[in-house]
Amino acid sequence: MLDLRYVSENLPEVKAALLRRGFTDAELLDRLGRLSEERRNLIASVESLRQERNEASQAMAKISDKTSETFQAKRDRLRALGDEIKRGETKQVELEGELETILLNLPNLPRPDVPDGRSERDNVEVRVWGDQPSFGFQPRDHVEIGSQLGILDFERAAKISGSRFVILKGLGSRLNRALMQFMLDVHTSEHGYEEVWPPVLVKDSAMRGTSQLPKFAKDAFRIAKDEEWEAQADARGHDLYLVPTAEVPITNLHADEIVAGSDLPLAYTGYTACFRSEAGSYGKDTRGMIRVHQFDKVELVRFCRPEQGETQLEILTGHAEAILQKLGLHHRVVELCAGDMGFAAQKSYDLEVWLPAQNAYREISSCSWFGDFQARRMKARFRPDPKAKPQLLHTLNGSGLAIGRTVVAILEQNQQADGAVTIPEVLVPYMGGVERIPPVS
RNA sequence: GGAGGAGUGGCCGAGCGGUCGAAGGCGGCGGAUUUGAAAUCCGUUGUAGGGGCGACUCUACCGGGGGUUCGAAUCCCUCCUCCUCCGCCA
């Protein structure tokens, strides 16, 4: 959420910045400006009425004879004053509700250094790591490889849960588990993150804190979705969302808190299953496990002082990238253009891993710096030093990494002519010594 | 699911319907004392919004919301959360 005061006082700049990311509703911003002005005037008048009432009320307390005519007269006058205050308060609640609705639907402002652009085609390649693996044969895609090795089962997943689900089996399941362990181990013991195992069902306030709500409700799975179910008395207390990413519960760790400046930066890593409805992605990546309703991910979350944000983003991106490097997976880093960034981000890097069967780089991690955008929604603050006033934190997060897509990349990049897949060396200990998933004869 | 109990400032804990933003303690910060530290003493210490260049000032906030009242931390209603016991359960 943007700062109301900042937006009201800098309308032209805000319009220009939002335009860069394709937000063209200038009228909405003008309306916000008018409402903000109205609110300010209203507050001034209501407060002076309240002051008048407070002073008069105190005088009332000093009148000993509560039945006297003067007391009665004053009381009647104050009753009218009280009504007037109430009307003003009601109006204020209305205005602030409208303002909040607008603010909750405004995306973050891209940093000035974020490149212009409308879509992912305009993203800027920052660096490429490793070489494209070359095969002496036509590389197959992970669906083919996984099905043949008996480690991925899409048919049975569809039977049980529908489309866009996958079942991992045998060494495939083990690989998934090994990756989770490996990533968490690296981030905790080498990168200094504190490990967190959070709930995967969260309240709407948490979803609002990190900006999945209110704008992207269609993308999330919600418990108590239909009205009939919701109407049941038993359903109360279960209005929860399945997390689309561990970012939600982990970032909200410090919602409504004031942390000590001396504790910053804070760094957390955690694994969760992630659930996404993939609304509006019909026909996109329907094959395989690139885009499924449920996947596993290890997430990195950092909290810092505003002035640390820029550096922290580089650090966090490096931590995510280190996983790809240790796994020996060819990939590149791109900086997202203004038009391709997520709603809450003010600057983002994507890590894209090479998928030979698609002859393309595909996103495997997105690392973002949100400024105080999420912190304002969450009321997550820090005290710069013990005497100072609290300030909004800056938040960052990134996948470290999406495990499903990592499995895909390993299968595709490490496939052998005989149909086997080699296990990256760093994972072998986590695989109980298994060095390759053998071909089925 | 059943039965009880409780929600006050960073924490603990008082609080007659009216000078209560709220006693006291702890913690934090500043200072005195000390060679240094501990102990002790003194002072200070919430958040948000509005106005003012500023010193400053006004308003709101005692789990959330609503109500009664001239006036609510204090009375009423309601919701939420937490704790204890019983039942069920991985």
Side-chain angles (χ1 to χ4, degrees):
Chain A
M1 190 158 71
L2 299 173
D3 179 36
L4 175 62
R5 179 181 280 259
Y6 176 82
V7 176
S8 327
E9 288 173 2
N10 301 277
L11 275 179
E13 290 81 357
V14 171
K15 277 183 201 171
L18 288 180
L19 193 61
R20 284 224 298 147
R21 55 184 306 159
F23 186 92
T24 53
D25 195 348
E27 266 177 52
L28 186 69
L29 289 164
D30 289 331
R31 200 164 95 81
L32 180 136
R34 286 193 305 274
L35 290 172
S36 175
E37 175 72 24
E38 203 181 325
R39 168 179 175 271
R40 216 177 284 207
N41 294 335
L42 183 67
I43 285 175
S45 70
V46 171
E47 284 193 350
S48 73
L49 290 179
R50 268 202 284 251
Q51 187 177 354
E52 192 183 331
R53 182 184 64 183
N54 288 348
E55 284 163 5
S57 261
Q58 279 183 22
M60 299 279 284
K62 296 207 174 74
I63 300 176
S64 43
D65 182 4
K66 309 288 190 205
T67 56
S68 68
E69 295 234 339
T70 43
F71 187 91
Q72 304 277 346
K74 278 176 196 278
R75 194 185 57 195
D76 291 347
R77 214 150 31 86
L78 281 183
R79 186 175 298 165
L81 185 58
D83 290 345
E84 197 178 343
I85 290 170
K86 192 138 289 175
R87 278 195 298 277
E89 284 171 340
T90 306
K91 180 71 184 161
Q92 188 182 342
V93 168
E94 261 173 48
L95 277 176
E96 290 182 346
E98 283 183 68
L99 280 166
E100 188 173 24
T101 302
I102 296 174
L103 284 172
L104 283 175
N105 285 289
L106 290 181
N108 203 352
L109 308 177
R111 300 278 295 183
D113 58 308
V114 167
D116 283 324
R118 303 174 61 85
S119 75
E120 62 180 311
R121 282 189 306 282
D122 302 312
N123 293 340
V124 177
E125 187 175 279
V126 176
R127 57 182 174 271
V128 177
W129 187 90
D131 299 315
Q132 285 185 16
S134 57
F135 306 92
F137 54 93
Q138 181 62 39
R140 295 165 303 153
D141 82 347
H142 71 279
V143 177
E144 212 176 312
I145 300 167
S147 302
Q148 221 164 68
L149 293 176
I151 59 173
L152 300 182
D153 189 339
F154 295 98
E155 288 74 20
R156 290 201 178 92
K159 174 177 73 180
I160 298 164
S161 301
S163 64
R164 292 196 190 277
F165 282 94
V166 64
I167 294 170
L168 295 149
K169 292 194 299 194
L171 288 174
S173 177
R174 177 132 201 190
L175 178 59
N176 199 67
R177 177 158 58 93
L179 281 167
M180 174 184 101
Q181 292 266 60
F182 166 69
M183 291 178 191
L184 288 171
D185 282 352
V186 171
H187 294 315
T188 53
S189 48
E190 292 180 32
H191 298 155
Y193 288 76
E194 181 173 359
E195 187 173 342
V196 178
W197 200 293
V200 295
L201 283 168
V202 298
K203 300 196 282 192
D204 63 346
S205 58
M207 292 284 277
R208 200 170 324 111
T210 35
S211 305
Q212 279 73 22
L213 290 180
K215 232 190 155 177
F216 308 101
K218 294 84 19 205
D219 297 331
F221 284 109
R222 183 180 172 196
I223 310 297
K225 203 159 195 165
D226 62 76
E227 285 158 27
E228 198 181 324
W229 200 93
E230 216 165 341
Q232 293 177 26
D234 289 3
R236 279 188 311 160
H238 293 286
D239 187 11
L240 297 169
Y241 291 83
L242 282 162
V243 297
T245 160
E247 164 193 354
V248 177
I250 298 180
T251 308
N252 277 284
L253 236 34
H254 293 297
D256 295 311
E257 290 186 9
I258 302 175
V259 303
S262 54
D263 289 340
L264 298 174
L266 288 162
Y268 299 100
T269 185
Y271 156 82
T272 66
C274 302
F275 305 90
R276 299 185 182 180
S277 75
E278 297 300 343
S281 65
Y282 306 108
K284 246 191 227 170
D285 301 309
T286 47
R287 182 176 162 84
M289 55 187 287
I290 294 288
R291 191 177 299 278
V292 283
H293 288 313
Q294 176 186 335
F295 62 95
D296 299 291
K297 184 158 62 70
V298 167
E299 188 74 2
L300 303 173
V301 175
R302 299 180 78 87
F303 298 85
C304 69
R305 295 165 182 263
E307 64 272 21
Q308 298 171 314
E310 189 137 38
T311 321
Q312 291 289 310
L313 177 61
E314 302 299 326
I315 292 171
L316 181 137
T317 307
H319 290 155
E321 195 182 1
I323 299 293
L324 284 170
Q325 293 171 352
K326 284 172 188 289
L327 293 171
L329 293 171
H330 171 56
H331 66 274
R332 66 172 188 173
V333 180
V334 299
E335 179 174 359
L336 298 193
C337 70
D340 196 35
M341 284 198 307
F343 181 80
Q346 60 176 23
K347 177 170 179 161
S348 298
Y349 293 113
D350 272 10
L351 269 48
E352 299 182 337
V353 74
W354 176 250
L355 296 187
Q358 293 191 7
N359 196 39
Y361 291 98
R362 295 300 307 264
E363 177 185 335
I364 196 166
S365 170
S366 192
C367 302
S368 299
W369 172 24
F370 304 99
D372 59 18
F373 190 84
Q374 294 182 323
R376 184 170 293 106
R377 290 171 166 236
M378 294 190 299
K379 293 190 179 61
R381 295 172 293 175
F382 73 102
R383 203 178 288 282
D385 76 272
K387 295 285 264 187
K389 287 187 51 151
Q391 262 181 60
L392 289 170
L393 283 161
H394 274 206
T395 58
L396 306 98
N397 73 51
S399 343
L401 308 161
I403 295 173
R405 291 189 179 181
T406 309
V407 169
V408 170
I410 290 172
L411 294 185
E412 294 199 9
Q413 286 199 25
N414 291 11
Q415 60 183 301
Q416 307 296 306
D418 64 359
V421 170
T422 57
I423 300 295
E425 212 179 304
V426 290
L427 287 183
V428 171
Y430 292 92
M431 293 290 288
V434 172
E435 291 174 356
R436 62 201 284 266
I437 303 178
V440 183
S441 45

